[in-house]
Amino acid sequence: MDVELICVGTELLLGEIVNTNAAYIAKRLAEEGMNLYHACVVGDNPKRLKAALELAFSRSDLIITTGGLGPTADDVTKEVIADLLGQRLVFDAAAYENLIKRLKANVKDAKISENNRKQALVPEGCDVYENEYGTAPGFHCTVQNKHIIVLPGPPKEMRAMFETEVTPFLRTQSHLFYARRMVKTHGLKESTISEYLQSHMEQKNPTVATYAKPYGTDVRVMASASSLHQAEQMCESCAAEVCAILKDAVYSIDGMSLEETAIAHLQECGLKLMIVDGGSRGVLLSLLGKGAMEEVLLDYRLMHTTVSSPLLAAEDKSKEILTVSIASPKMDADGKMNVTITYQGAIDEQEIISSYQDGEGFYNRISYAVLDRIRRI
């Protein structure tokens, strides 16, 4: 089934809120084996929304919209859809009862206005979706073998409705089962991984794709088959091949983040951590989080001056403590920033992280390099 997504809301076009709905729906559609070929954002403008819907109906089997179901005059999604489909809006008593219940749950003596009543209007003949967390119902219309599913804009409301109403429908439209694994790596560039996995990335089923992330590169493996068991077997087999090729660059499969992996490894090794940070600007501590402070972190010192001398005196070094000293960035003659990281105690070595650009990206690289070295001890 070919799907098109239309997110409605002028606030999205103005950058006032992040469009998390699009990311969520795209991910869920992929997991359910649907082909999302087109997605767009349209403001609260009837003419432009109608044009987007007409185009979507001309090329897609299922259109999903989010947003524009509120009580105000600029919430026009269902009015435009009803007009396009040639259906009148009718009052839905169950939706209205749910609206009253939701409003009074938040405000004891809430007054129901005519604008609120507008939210209980739906296209005649549609399947109405109850809103578990808000006042605007969603709905599903079918016209000439085409489907349109209309969902509210608030993410909590949309996600609940997608799982309880949309997902069961999607599963009636696909005869395939899908399995997915995400192999997480650090230490190899995305381009290098793509070269290593070229033959796998050229195959049709399972499919393999790479995604560059601040913490490394993710490798997605997805398989489809006529049974879930077969899809899982195909996916597991391919993921195992990917791991065998990438070797110790892999730190997790559908599991822990790099920072969680590093902390868990310290615990397994019975090691404690001490850090003097003159180079990551506190990013490393932020990544480690509260869990590390409670479990493995003995001391953390954020330095605003150059860290150059060893952190521990020779007589204080312990193989049960890993001390990490991150020097302040220094620029060389070529304009490249260099940061020296010194490890003492459980291991004794140095590494240099270099970049032509200072800033958040560089601080992330430094921090993830430390975490990667920790998990490899």
Side-chain angles (χ1 to χ4, degrees):
M1 174 173 274
D2 297 343
V3 186
E4 186 149 347
L5 173 62
I6 301 175
C7 297
V8 183
T10 302
E11 67 275 14
L12 297 171
L13 294 174
L14 295 176
E16 293 174 351
I17 63 172
V18 177
N19 190 5
T20 58
N21 284 347
Y24 179 85
I25 292 174
K27 182 174 182 294
R28 289 293 292 112
L29 288 172
E31 291 171 344
E32 296 299 331
M34 300 293 116
N35 302 316
L36 178 62
Y37 287 146
H38 304 281
C40 71
V41 176
V42 182
D44 300 302
N45 179 281
K47 184 177 179 180
R48 288 190 284 274
L49 177 55
K50 183 179 180 181
L53 287 165
E54 288 175 336
L55 179 59
F57 271 108
S58 73
R59 63 190 181 186
S60 302
D61 305 309
L62 167 64
I63 298 94
I64 298 176
T65 74
T66 67
L69 299 181
T72 61
D74 63 348
D75 291 305
V76 296
T77 298
K78 63 186 171 187
E79 287 80 1
V80 173
I81 290 172
D83 179 65
L84 181 64
L85 300 181
Q87 297 172 337
R88 65 191 185 101
L89 291 173
V90 296
F91 180 75
D92 188 276
Y96 189 63
E97 288 180 13
N98 182 67
L99 180 151
I100 294 172
K101 181 174 70 174
R102 298 295 173 204
L103 288 176
K104 290 190 173 181
N106 294 325
V107 181
K108 185 177 180 180
D109 298 321
K111 294 182 179 180
I112 312 301
S113 68
E114 192 62 28
N115 282 349
N116 292 129
R117 195 175 188 278
K118 167 194 169 185
Q119 290 185 287
L121 298 176
V122 296
E124 188 173 23
C126 70
D127 294 325
V128 181
Y129 294 161
E130 181 181 348
N131 192 330
E132 297 179 23
Y133 296 102
T135 56
F139 57 86
H140 176 181
C141 296
T142 305
V143 180
Q144 297 178 351
N145 294 322
K146 301 273 187 173
H147 302 269
I148 181 164
I149 291 176
V150 179
L151 303 175
K156 184 177 180 180
E157 300 174 27
M158 183 281 296
R159 293 185 182 195
M161 198 174 290
F162 190 97
E163 297 305 328
T164 59
E165 304 287 356
V166 181
T167 298
F169 165 73
L170 295 177
R171 290 177 179 172
T172 67
Q173 303 301 304
S174 176
H175 302 293
L176 292 175
F177 291 85
Y178 287 78
R180 177 178 176 273
R181 296 290 181 271
M182 192 67 75
V183 179
K184 295 180 176 292
T185 76
H186 188 276
L188 293 175
K189 294 180 180 179
E190 183 185 19
S191 58
T192 302
I193 291 176
S194 297
E195 290 178 10
Y196 289 167
L197 299 178
Q198 182 176 350
S199 62
H200 288 76
M201 295 178 72
E202 291 173 351
Q203 66 191 21
K204 298 298 183 181
N205 187 28
T207 59
V208 175
T210 60
Y211 302 93
K213 302 288 185 179
Y215 50 78
T217 301
D218 286 352
V219 182
R220 190 211 68 214
V221 179
M222 182 176 288
S224 61
S226 57
S227 73
L228 181 59
H229 178 68
Q230 184 181 0
E232 290 280 1
Q233 283 188 322
M234 293 170 62
C235 194
E236 290 288 354
S237 176
C238 186
E241 292 173 7
V242 167
C243 291
I245 292 170
L246 301 182
K247 300 178 181 177
D248 65 349
V250 176
Y251 65 84
S252 175
I253 302 176
D254 286 340
M256 295 187 294
S257 64
L258 186 53
E259 49 268 37
E260 290 170 336
T261 303
I263 293 170
H265 188 62
L266 287 170
Q267 291 175 310
E268 289 172 6
C269 296
L271 295 173
K272 297 295 184 180
L273 185 63
M274 296 179 66
I275 300 172
V276 170
D277 185 358
S280 88
R281 301 297 192 271
V283 172
L284 179 56
L285 180 63
S286 176
L287 289 172
L288 287 169
K290 184 179 179 181
M293 289 183 246
E294 294 174 347
E295 301 293 337
V296 299
L297 190 59
L298 290 178
D299 191 18
Y300 180 94
R301 306 174 202 172
L302 182 62
M303 309 296 287
H304 298 287
T305 57
T306 300
V307 178
S308 56
S309 59
L311 181 63
L312 292 181
E315 62 269 24
D316 294 328
K317 292 181 183 179
S318 169
K319 295 301 181 182
E320 296 178 355
I321 296 175
L322 175 64
T323 305
V324 182
S325 177
I326 308 173
S328 299
K330 290 185 178 180
M331 185 180 292
D332 62 20
D334 296 327
K336 185 165 56 178
M337 302 298 294
N338 299 291
V339 167
T340 300
I341 305 172
T342 303
Y343 302 91
Q344 297 173 279
I347 56 173
D348 292 290
E349 61 184 53
Q350 283 189 337
E351 66 176 316
I352 297 175
I353 307 298
S354 301
S355 174
Y356 282 102
Q357 292 184 332
D358 197 2
E360 183 179 356
F362 188 34
Y363 306 146
N364 280 330
R365 274 190 61 202
I366 295 164
S367 302
Y368 286 120
V370 171
L371 295 170
D372 188 59
R373 184 62 191 93
I374 290 172
R375 63 103 181 172
R376 293 173 186 259
I377 293 174

